[in-house]
């Protein structure tokens, strides 16, 4: 695997690969790689001649300094996993390679997409995500990009950014990889204590409860019961949001009907660790 830390050198390398008409698949990450990331690498390898992964803990998408400081950093193990998975190129730049001094992300108005759910609880988060993903797309110029459905709202925002910026690439949203008890794989899971890890499995169970009951009772009722059940499952869990929204516009829904794509999304603290997950209700 080739490792690049500078934009010029990866750009030069990829330009020569493109001259040979190689199709490029790209998996952007912030490291602390787990099987969810590796499944994206695997898919990219199956569908492209060259797979590029980036590891960059993007400071501008953290609205909370402590969250940024505590974000797991496991670069040596990440490199090992990427080599084992057959990834061709790793881009692992320093912050000053990506951002000029005092650069503040500016992205324009993405309306509802960036203001609800994660956007409401993490102000500025999506400005940081849009800014870095756009920069990375310009650097790598991929044909295919791969993201996990766990970050459902992030995928919706990036889809819109791709359309607005006329990027000629295909967005591939891949199924969330889960642990045996259903917990969505996440880089943050390694920060859970043993008790928190046990408590966390109630999060996917809550989403399944919603999916199993959404056609039987009203949205308000299903959300009320789901919230009660989750909170009573453990004192360690605090819910930030649990909502059912239109899967395209992310607008809240008053009524469920099987014709309108809908998704239930949750963000909850398990101890000090913030976890997100979602389930599509209409597939
Ligand atoms: O999903 C992530 O890991 C990050 O938000 C991303 C897309 C790599 C941008 O920093």
């Amino acid at each position: 695997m080739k490792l690049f830390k500078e934009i010029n050198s990866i750009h030069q390398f990829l330009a020569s690969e493109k001259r040979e008409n190689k199709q490029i698949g790209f998996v952007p990450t912030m490291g602390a790689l787990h099987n969810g990331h590796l499944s994206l690498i695997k898919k990219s390898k199956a569908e492209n001649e060259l797979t590029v992964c980036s590891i960059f803990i993007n400071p501008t998408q953290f609205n909370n300094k402590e969250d940024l400081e505590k974000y797991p950093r496991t670069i040596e193990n990440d490199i090992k996993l990427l080599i084992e998975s057959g990834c061709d190129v790793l881009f692992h730049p320093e912050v000053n390679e990506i951002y000029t001094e005092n650069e503040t992300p500016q992205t324009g108005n993405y309306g509802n997409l960036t203001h609800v759910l994660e956007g409401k609880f993490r102000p500025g988060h999506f400005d940081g995500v849009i800014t870095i993903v756009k920069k990375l797309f310009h650097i790598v110029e991929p044909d295919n990009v791969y993201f996990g459905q766990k970050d459902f709202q992030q995928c919706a925002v990036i889809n819109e950014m791709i359309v607005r910026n006329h990027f000629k690439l295909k967005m591939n949203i891949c199924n969330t990889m889960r642990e045996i008890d259903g917990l969505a794989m996440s880089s943050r899971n390694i920060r859970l204590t043993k008790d928190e890890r046990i408590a966390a499995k109630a999060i996917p169970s809550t989403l399944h409860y919603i999916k199993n009951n959404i056609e039987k009772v009203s949205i308000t009722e299903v959300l009320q019961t789901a919230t009660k059940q989750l909170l009573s499952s453990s004192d360690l869990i605090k819910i930030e949001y649990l909502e059912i929204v239109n899967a395209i516009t992310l607008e809240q829904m008053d009524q469920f009907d099987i014709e309108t794509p809908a998704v239930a999304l949750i963000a909850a603290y398990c101890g000090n660790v913030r976890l997100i997950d979602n389930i599509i209700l209409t597939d």
Side-chain angles (χ1 to χ4, degrees):
M1 181 176 72
K2 288 198 178 306
L3 165 62
F4 295 98
K5 293 184 87 65
E6 283 158 17
I7 295 172
N8 277 347
S9 39
I10 187 169
H11 209 254
Q12 227 175 347
F13 172 76
L14 291 177
S16 81
E17 296 294 301
K18 275 172 205 154
R19 278 195 291 276
E20 290 173 27
N21 283 329
K22 286 195 186 163
Q23 184 160 294
I24 296 180
F26 179 40
V27 182
T29 81
M30 296 204 297
L33 301 182
H34 50 69
N35 283 338
H37 296 115
L38 299 179
S39 73
L40 303 181
I41 300 279
K42 193 169 167 197
K43 192 152 195 310
S44 171
K45 276 186 67 67
E47 296 178 353
N48 300 278
E49 274 118 7
L50 197 91
T51 290
V52 180
C53 174
S54 65
I55 295 181
F56 179 67
I57 301 181
N58 174 36
T60 64
Q61 72 187 73
F62 288 83
N63 55 313
N64 177 332
K65 206 169 157 249
E66 199 186 323
D67 195 23
L68 171 60
E69 276 159 14
K70 285 197 178 149
Y71 201 84
R73 289 158 170 84
T74 57
I75 188 66
E76 276 167 29
N77 192 48
D78 291 347
I79 291 176
K80 187 172 150 270
L81 291 174
L82 287 174
I83 292 172
E84 279 167 12
S85 69
C87 180
D88 301 294
V89 175
L90 169 61
F91 181 48
H92 178 46
E94 298 294 335
V95 174
N96 61 7
E97 181 68 10
I98 296 294
Y99 290 108
T100 56
E101 218 176 311
N102 300 326
E103 185 176 344
T104 38
Q106 282 181 347
T107 53
N109 184 2
Y110 279 65
N112 200 52
L113 284 185
T114 52
H115 288 118
V116 295
L117 303 160
E118 289 298 287
K120 193 160 142 198
F121 286 90
R122 304 181 68 190
H125 168 67
F126 286 116
D127 291 325
V129 171
I130 292 168
T131 303
I132 185 60
V133 173
K134 206 157 124 184
K135 282 175 185 269
L136 290 169
F137 284 0
H138 279 303
I139 294 166
V140 176
E141 297 179 27
D143 300 288
N144 281 298
V145 293
Y146 298 85
F147 290 87
Q149 192 205 302
K150 183 176 81 69
D151 297 298
F152 188 91
Q153 187 175 8
Q154 170 169 281
C155 291
V157 171
I158 292 172
N159 252 332
E160 179 65 18
M161 185 276 282
I162 290 171
V163 172
R164 287 189 185 187
N165 290 278
H166 311 286
F167 279 112
K168 289 200 181 354
L169 50 80
K170 183 170 172 242
M171 169 82 165
N172 298 275
I173 302 175
C174 308
N175 288 344
T176 302
M177 296 294 285
R178 296 183 180 277
E179 304 292 350
I180 290 168
D181 63 3
L183 181 67
M185 289 186 186
S186 162
S187 304
R188 293 169 192 264
N189 292 355
I190 51 179
R191 289 180 46 213
L192 294 167
T193 63
K194 204 166 158 229
D195 287 347
E196 288 164 358
R197 174 64 189 82
I198 292 168
K201 67 173 188 248
I203 293 173
S205 310
T206 301
L207 294 173
H208 278 288
Y209 170 82
I210 293 174
K211 183 155 181 159
N212 293 337
N213 289 279
I214 187 71
E215 287 185 82
K216 298 181 193 149
V217 292
S218 70
I219 286 191
T220 315
E221 210 177 320
V222 81
L223 287 176
Q224 263 171 9
T225 316
T227 303
K228 236 192 204 161
Q229 280 180 10
L230 180 56
L231 292 179
S232 60
S233 71
S234 166
D235 289 346
L236 294 168
I237 294 194
K238 306 263 174 302
I239 301 173
E240 259 193 353
Y241 62 76
L242 174 58
E243 289 186 31
I244 293 173
V245 301
N246 179 306
I248 313 289
T249 62
L250 305 189
E251 277 158 8
Q252 268 192 10
M253 295 174 76
D254 302 328
Q255 254 185 334
F256 178 79
D257 80 88
I258 200 75
E259 301 298 318
T260 313
V263 58
L265 301 107
I266 186 165
Y269 276 93
C270 200
N272 289 323
V273 185
R274 188 175 184 277
L275 301 173
I276 59 170
D277 200 354
N278 63 78
I279 193 164
I280 295 177
L281 303 174
T282 39
D283 61 4

